Every structure is written in structure tokens, then in C-alpha cells.
Amino acid sequence: MTRRRLLAGNWKMNKTVAEARAFAEAIGRRAEVFEAGADFVVCPPFTALHVLRVTLPARVALGAQNVHFEERGAFTGEVSAEMLAEAGVRYVIVGHSERRHLFGETDAVVEKKVTAVLHAGMTPILCVGEDLRERQLGHTERVVERQTKAGLAGVDPGRAGEVVVAYEPVWAIGSGQTPTPEDAGRVVAHIRRVMEREKGAEAASRVRILYGGSVTADNLGAFVAEADIDGALVGGASLNPDGFVRMAEVITKGASA
Ligand code: PEP
């Protein structure tokens, strides 16, 4: 099965409304880059969702960085999946390592969020990845397996292929360090095998698995050259419009329409 490549930008807590608008206008001047056979998404802070909804090029989808799993209620500061979908959001990052480590998100919470996002008709981008200590102990496969299984535990096999998984080694995020593309490809292939075991061959062949961690326009090509890596989740390098356009060019090169 051919899977459409995906380039997802995670802005984290960066960019005001005015800065987001300037980004959208800048990449809009190169809108032809986004026409080819790949998918593109930008995940801004909640405050910039609206301005991006009305200014992003049509082929660049809107994403969110977080969601609450409950539908409504007394959860001060939280935003539900239905609210995001109504705001035009199509993808939601779930279980980013910063949320796991800085905000105490557990596998159980991540699972509920994945389910809520699917239920609202959006695509979860489920983040998994080992930290440096786990890697040094040789536990990488074990960690991504546990996080993948737990994150998708509530997902019906018939829908599991809709999910996007992002393999993000924690030590590579924002550090300028990366695994080799072969190394990342091996871990991603392992995640696909876990998907097959848990959700069946159809889901495993459909699920898109991204690499994330210090991706730039210069190293992206080597990662997506790996057979099992279907794109990238990019933090820092996605903030710059020229960088985002360059990565879009890289990701569409050799992508199937
Ligand atoms: C991320 O935030 O998901 C990420 C991969 O960040 P960076 O590209 O800056 O390492």
C-alpha cells in the first residue's frame, strides 16, 4: 500500500497571531509547493488557530498541539475535541514528550485523548519515543512498543490505520542530535510490526509513521528515504516559512501522488 507522506509542524508555545499571519502569508506566496501528492499540517498555539484557518494555503491543514478527552465541563483551561474540530482543526498531536514529561500525561490519559480525537473526526498524531536513559539501557523498542500499544488500546482495528504515529526520541527533540536514518527506520519498522500484531495487517500497512527530533530541510530527505518513514513531525525548523517551504519541497520529491 502507498501511504501519503505527511509534513507536520509543531510550533509549541511560539508565535503571536500577527506572527502566525505573517508565516501563512509567506508560505502562501509559494503555495504551488503544497500541491503535490503529500499532506501538510501546521500546529500553532490555540490562539493562532483562527488566523491560520483563514490565511493558510488551502492544502496546508490546521493542527492542534493538545486536547482534553472529556466532551465538556468543569476543566478550566482545557479545550475539547469537538471545539477543535469546529475551529477547523484536522490533526491533533497527542502524547508529545513535553506533555508527558512536563505536564505528567500518562499512557492512560494519552489513550483517552486519541479516542476523543478520532471520535470527533480528526486525526491523532500519537507521539512515542524513548528518553536518553532508556536508549542507553537498550530499551528503545520496549518503550515505543508500550506507548504505541497503550495509546491505541481503545482504537478499533478498523480505524487504527487512520492514526498517525510519530517516533520522536526524546533526546533528539530540540537538541540538534538525531539517530541515523537507518536507526530511526529500524525503530519505525518495529512500531509497524507492533501495529500489525495489535491491529492487523491492514492497519499496519495504512498507518503513517513519522520521524521527529531535530529535523531540518537538510536532513529530512535521508529520513523519508527509509521505507517505513512516511514523513516528519518538526518543531524548531517549522517556525521559519522558508524552512517549511524547503521541507515541503523535500517531502514531495519522490512522494507518490
Ligand atoms: C517536536 O517538538 O516534536 C520536535 C521534534 O521538535 P524539534 O524538531 O525542534 O526537535
Side-chain angles (χ1 to χ4, degrees):
M1 130 121 23
T2 20
R3 295 178 294 268
R4 289 173 69 80
R5 283 185 181 165
L6 174 64
L7 174 66
N10 172 17
W11 284 1
K12 313 192 189 202
M13 199 171 73
N14 291 292
K15 291 199 193 291
T16 62
V17 169
E19 289 164 347
R21 180 195 298 276
F23 176 95
E25 287 170 353
I27 68 166
R29 289 191 277 278
R30 297 292 316 282
E32 77 283 355
V33 166
F34 304 104
E35 292 299 328
D39 293 327
F40 308 92
V41 55
V42 173
C43 306
F46 292 138
T47 45
L49 284 174
H50 178 71
V51 74
L52 288 187
R53 184 182 191 174
V54 296
T55 52
L56 276 176
R59 291 229 53 252
V60 181
L62 203 51
Q65 301 172 20
N66 189 25
V67 65
H68 195 271
F69 51 81
E70 293 288 354
E71 289 181 10
R72 66 186 64 77
F75 303 102
T76 300
E78 297 291 334
V79 176
S80 76
E82 185 190 1
M83 292 168 189
L84 292 177
E86 187 194 36
V89 168
R90 306 228 332 260
Y91 294 82
V92 184
I93 298 171
V94 178
H96 190 281
S97 66
E98 286 153 17
R99 295 222 53 92
R100 291 180 191 261
H101 294 130
L102 300 175
F103 301 99
E105 268 184 27
T106 61
D107 283 337
V109 167
V110 170
E111 185 217 333
K112 289 189 203 176
K113 292 187 174 193
V114 167
T115 308
V117 170
L118 280 171
H119 186 68
M122 299 178 291
T123 301
I125 302 177
L126 168 64
C127 299
V128 301
E130 82 287 1
D131 64 24
L132 186 59
R133 193 177 131 74
E134 289 163 336
R135 184 175 186 86
Q136 285 165 343
L137 289 170
H139 292 172
T140 297
E141 273 79 7
R142 190 185 304 183
V143 170
V144 298
E145 180 161 344
R146 189 201 78 232
Q147 293 175 332
T148 304
K149 278 161 74 171
L152 299 179
V155 179
D156 187 86
R159 296 201 65 187
E162 293 172 37
V163 173
V164 173
V165 179
Y167 168 53
E168 298 209 305
V170 178
W171 52 272
I173 295 178
S175 67
Q177 292 184 306
T178 68
T180 64
E182 298 74 26
D183 196 0
R186 262 194 303 275
V187 179
V188 167
H190 181 69
I191 294 170
R192 207 175 291 288
R193 281 194 296 275
V194 171
M195 285 291 292
E196 177 160 9
R197 213 167 52 224
E198 298 296 311
K199 306 292 177 185
E202 160 78 10
S205 70
R206 277 183 59 208
V207 70
R208 290 186 288 181
I209 309 181
L210 314 180
Y211 167 72
S214 297
V215 169
T216 65
D218 294 329
N219 63 19
L220 174 60
F223 285 104
V224 293
E226 292 294 314
D228 276 297
I229 299 182
D230 303 312
L233 177 56
V234 186
S238 74
L239 291 168
N240 177 281
D242 292 336
F244 194 74
V245 165
R246 277 182 62 209
M247 289 189 286
E249 287 171 333
V250 171
I251 211 147
T252 50
K253 209 181 293 165
S256 41

